[in-house]
Amino acid sequence: MTQNKYVRSWVDEMVALTCPDKVVWIDGSELQAEGLRREACLTGELIKLNEQKLPGCYLHRTAVNDVARVEGRTFICTTKKEDAGNINNWMAPAEAYEKLGKLFKGSMKGRTMYVIPYSMGIVGSSFSKIGYELTDSIYVVLNMLIMTRVGVEVEEALGDSPEFIKGLHAKADLDEANRYIVHFPEDNTIWSVNSGYGGNVLLGKKCFALRIASWLGRKEGWMAEHMLILGIEKPDGETRYICAAFPSACGKTNLAMLIPPAFLREKGYKVWTVGDDIAWLRVGKDGRLYAQNPENGFFGVAPGTNEKSNPNALATTKKDTIFTNVVLNTDNNTVWWEGLDKNPPVHAIDWKGNPWDASKYDKNDKSTCGAHPNSRFTAKAVNCPCLSKEFNNPEGVPIDAIVFGGRRAKTAPLVYQSFDWEHGPFVGSIMASETTAAASGAVGVVRRDPMAMRPFVGYNMGDYFAHWLDMGHRIPKAPKIFHVNWFRTDEEGNFIWPGFGDNLRVLLWMLDRVDGKVDAVETPIGYVPAPGDIDTTGLDLSEETMKELLSVDKEAWLADVANIREFYALIGDTVPAELQAQLNALEKRLSE
Ligand code: GTP
Ligand code: SPV
Ligand code: MN
């Protein structure tokens, strides 16, 4: 236990508020973790899986009403409402402390409070930040042990400093009507109550590493982004790094772990994973932008993960993994989810804990799913076969390209490049995507999701755009900026781009652009590849389809411009004049 007086007095205060029977300090040791797993199996919080087939793996089921992030109940609490902006939910700090204080009061009676010291980022790196999470959930402790760096070395790194993020989480009674995920960026504090689901309760992840960190990044001159980080190793041995921001459940984990198509593999191309969800970006001494993944594991979407789509992710989950809300195969005590293979278990329990009959599964009726569409695996980065050797580099990796992308059936082409850096944040700011099961609410509705950060910016969205523009001036050797869409569909709703490993073909075009090795076609929205410049070797794609994938439908874009104008108006007058000018210029180019 630390002697840090700031930590000790804050923990004392939270103990007095929540009244746990017992307080346990998490030291990061395997011995302690194993004891907690055993305890969780006794209470049914975890189910131990087949030790031969899935060593060290467990299944957890959340409450049926608690399966995704709850954006409507997520708040940014700043003294001034305009600091949170119009896109975030806002509550005055005093009101939020009072309201949640009542919910926390006595909530841990009869329970144990676990004190988790953790580092986002490599312990001791100048990129990294330290947090404490207090929780009454063993599931949270075990997930944090996988997702972050936990234990005594973190406390040593903090020393006597007051610089840590104070997170308090209580399951309370999982009451949906009183579920709150609340951030106090001015106090480095996060309070979360009445949930037991991932992004609501693993406070190091979205709450700290994006919402609080984006606030700190603006103040301190760096960026916290909802981005994967990957390395592309070329046949000559050189590795180039790319960051990509896609909204939740839009392909970050898949792209980060992709396996190159056969003809590129044979040439010697390899892809290495640095991160799959969050990137912290800083300007290096050499004037380039450097990225580090603050996490230590993957909280990945299970459905759709299979031997073909993402073998690396699948391999990562074969040991030391916690599965949440997937199907339990009771014949051999293993797990299954939709899209794993074509052999659903014959005797099975679904994510709700009920017997499940795979023969009743109807892909158009989500209520017949065995696994929840947002079911997840929590797996250690070290178990990933394609983990980058730079994963633990405290300096991060230098970034050549930033990619934005959304899930759009129409409108957005397969890929385009921004005209210049200033146009890049504009491209990010006008991103839109169909909503997914990663957040509660309707699925498949197009909404604007700037930089894939709509649910995660811890301050005013317009100020966030300004910070992006400002960062451009601080990075002498700025990365090039692109936009992709892997999700264009035909009239029948089938994806027309093969996606997954084949996405590397598009990334290689980007690197050629970065290196000035290939020309492009100028369109009103940006540069698109010239016909033939995306290598389609071995693909069954007609020239016609490729043309369709890269086409820019001016009418559809003009309709989008109108929608963007409304969205900018919703954000309000903090939207930088540069971006308004970009929008006007886009409209003019489209109308010519
Ligand atoms: P979060 O963890 O929620 O932030 O999600 P993510 O962005 O990491 O998404 P992930 O890679 O888990 O993919 C989510 C879903 O998109 C899965 O069902 C994938 O099968 C699907 N997907 C990913 N990449 C592609 C692609 O290139 N094409 C198509 N058609 N689907 C894809
Ligand atoms: C996301 O929704 O973007 C996730 C999962 O990565 S969660 O941790 O729930 O935010
Ligand atoms: Mn995510």
Side-chain angles (χ1 to χ4, degrees):
M1 185 194 315
T2 181
Q3 296 307 315
N4 182 308
K5 64 176 191 242
Y6 306 102
V7 174
R8 295 284 289 263
S9 72
W10 165 69
V11 172
D12 287 347
E13 204 185 315
M14 296 302 107
V15 166
L17 174 65
T18 58
C19 307
D21 284 9
K22 211 165 78 174
V23 178
V24 171
W25 290 70
I26 301 300
D27 59 16
S29 70
E30 180 49 32
L31 188 69
Q32 189 185 44
E34 188 50 31
L36 291 172
R37 286 181 207 117
R38 221 169 296 141
E39 191 179 333
C41 287
L42 286 175
T43 60
E45 192 175 351
L46 291 184
I47 297 169
K48 171 102 184 89
L49 296 169
N50 187 317
E51 183 61 23
Q52 272 70 49
K53 292 182 193 295
L54 295 167
C57 293
Y58 296 82
L59 170 66
H60 171 80
R61 296 188 196 106
T62 64
V64 175
N65 71 4
D66 190 22
V67 292
R69 284 182 293 99
V70 280
E71 296 179 4
R73 313 206 59 94
T74 300
F75 289 80
I76 302 296
C77 301
T78 46
T79 310
K80 288 194 248 151
K81 184 175 188 304
E82 57 268 34
D83 288 342
N86 294 334
I87 301 300
N88 284 310
N89 301 311
W90 175 85
M91 231 191 290
E95 184 193 341
Y97 280 126
E98 192 186 313
K99 192 178 197 124
L100 272 76
K102 285 189 188 133
L103 300 172
F104 277 114
K105 193 162 182 207
S107 66
M108 295 193 193
K109 269 195 198 116
R111 301 182 187 184
T112 301
M113 174 192 276
Y114 299 95
V115 181
I116 315 170
Y118 66 95
S119 173
M120 295 315 289
I122 295 140
V123 180
S125 155
S126 57
F127 272 77
S128 303
K129 302 246 175 219
I130 287 172
Y132 273 81
E133 176 162 358
L134 312 180
T135 179
D136 56 2
S137 160
I138 295 182
Y139 171 75
V140 167
V141 174
L142 295 174
N143 273 273
M144 288 294 283
L145 281 166
I146 296 172
M147 293 306 296
T148 71
R149 290 145 173 107
V150 173
V152 280
E153 82 263 28
V154 175
E155 303 205 304
E156 277 160 20
L158 182 65
D160 302 328
S161 164
E163 297 263 308
F164 62 96
I165 306 299
K166 307 180 198 101
L168 175 64
H169 163 248
K171 287 181 291 188
D173 36 24
L174 297 177
D175 172 13
E176 239 177 324
N178 279 308
R179 185 169 295 155
Y180 289 97
I181 321 299
V182 173
H183 307 71
F184 305 92
E186 292 157 353
D187 303 342
N188 285 334
T189 295
I190 305 159
W191 279 12
S192 165
V193 67
N194 276 311
S195 174
Y197 167 77
N200 297 331
V201 300
L202 307 178
L203 301 185
K205 196 172 178 55
K206 296 308 187 347
C207 300
F208 175 176
L210 288 179
R211 298 195 190 97
I212 299 286
S214 61
W215 170 285
L216 294 174
R218 177 171 177 243
K219 216 166 62 178
E220 299 166 3
W222 53 282
M223 304 163 93
E225 298 295 332
H226 193 199
M227 289 177 175
L228 67 93
I229 311 163
L230 66 76
I232 300 173
E233 184 179 329
K234 296 196 167 182
D236 64 8
E238 185 198 23
T239 304
R240 311 284 294 273
Y241 296 91
I242 291 181
C243 281
F246 309 152
S248 302
C250 290
K252 289 182 300 301
T253 303
N254 277 274
L255 192 71
M257 298 183 187
L258 79 81
I259 301 222
F263 85 103
L264 290 172
R265 229 166 34 231
E266 280 152 23
K267 282 189 190 168
Y269 283 92
K270 293 189 185 116
V271 167
W272 301 106
T273 309
V274 182
D276 83 323
D277 198 51
I278 297 176
W280 284 2
L281 304 159
R282 291 176 190 268
V283 186
K285 288 186 199 78
D286 60 357
R288 298 179 72 188
L289 189 63
Y290 280 75
Q292 191 180 104
N293 172 12
E295 301 190 283
N296 202 24
F298 309 116
F299 185 61
V301 177
T305 306
N306 62 52
E307 201 48 68
K308 207 168 151 266
S309 66
N310 195 346
N312 283 320
L314 199 60
T316 311
T317 66
K318 290 298 178 191
K319 60 177 184 186
D320 315 327
T321 296
I322 301 172
F323 296 94
T324 301
N325 292 340
V326 299
V327 178
L328 176 66
N329 178 340
T330 51
D331 282 331
N332 62 5
N333 217 20
T334 60
V335 288
W336 191 85
W337 49 79
E338 279 71 21
L340 173 64
D341 55 39
K342 298 214 159 67
N343 310 305
V346 180
H347 300 106
I349 309 277
D350 70 11
W351 69 271
K352 293 178 181 165
N354 300 321
W356 181 65
D357 181 353
S359 68
K360 303 250 166 69
Y361 173 64
D362 166 6
K363 77 170 196 270
N364 298 316
D365 178 1
K366 289 284 179 210
S367 73
T368 64
C369 280
H372 187 274
N374 191 39
S375 54
R376 302 244 166 194
F377 53 79
T378 318
K380 292 181 180 176
V382 288
N383 289 344
C384 179
C386 56
L387 190 71
S388 166
K389 66 179 191 321
E390 302 299 323
F391 180 73
N392 280 314
N393 183 341
E395 308 293 320
V397 293
I399 298 302
D400 277 315
I402 289 176
V403 184
F404 296 119
R407 196 182 267 271
R408 295 296 294 271
K410 301 277 174 268
T411 316
L414 178 63
V415 59
Y416 67 98
Q417 182 187 359
S418 76
F419 293 119
D420 48 41
W421 174 276
E422 196 136 295
H423 184 230
F426 172 70
V427 168
S429 81
I430 67 170
M431 263 172 71
S433 196
E434 291 154 24
T435 51
T436 65
S440 60
V443 168
V445 183
V446 174
R447 73 161 181 177
R448 308 239 74 96
D449 189 352
M451 286 82 168
M453 284 287 280
R454 182 178 182 138
F456 307 121
V457 177
Y459 59 101
N460 187 308
M461 186 63 81
D463 294 339
Y464 169 75
F465 293 164
H467 184 49
W468 262 89
L469 290 168
D470 180 47
M471 284 300 293
H473 304 302
R474 296 175 191 228
I475 319 169
K477 296 176 193 154
K480 297 280 185 273
I481 300 183
F482 300 85
H483 186 284
V484 298
N485 176 22
W486 314 137
F487 300 93
R488 278 278 267 249
T489 57
D490 62 16
E491 297 313 317
E492 279 92 56
N494 304 305
F495 296 119
I496 53 178
W497 172 250
F500 300 99
D502 289 310
N503 293 333
L504 180 59
R505 299 164 190 266
V506 177
L507 303 186
L508 291 180
W509 177 77
M510 292 177 192
L511 289 182
D512 280 347
R513 288 293 296 164
V514 170
D515 295 338
K517 282 189 187 154
V518 65
D519 264 343
V521 179
E522 188 170 339
T523 76
I525 63 168
Y527 299 115
V528 303
D533 279 349
I534 300 254
D535 193 335
T536 55
T537 305
L539 283 186
D540 185 20
L541 264 190
S542 67
E543 233 172 89
E544 206 46 34
T545 308
M546 212 49 217
K547 226 162 109 189
E548 158 75 17
L549 277 165
L550 294 173
S551 65
V552 178
D553 175 344
K554 288 192 185 179
E555 288 309 311
W557 272 90
L558 279 168
D560 233 32
V561 166
N563 186 269
I564 295 161
R565 248 185 233 296
E566 279 171 33
F567 182 61
Y568 275 9
L570 178 68
I571 298 171
D573 56 15
T574 52
V575 172
E578 293 93 321
L579 296 193
Q580 296 282 10
Q582 289 278 358
L583 184 56
N584 293 337
L586 171 63
E587 187 174 39
K588 188 154 166 274
R589 290 192 301 269
L590 286 165
S591 313
E592 266 160 15

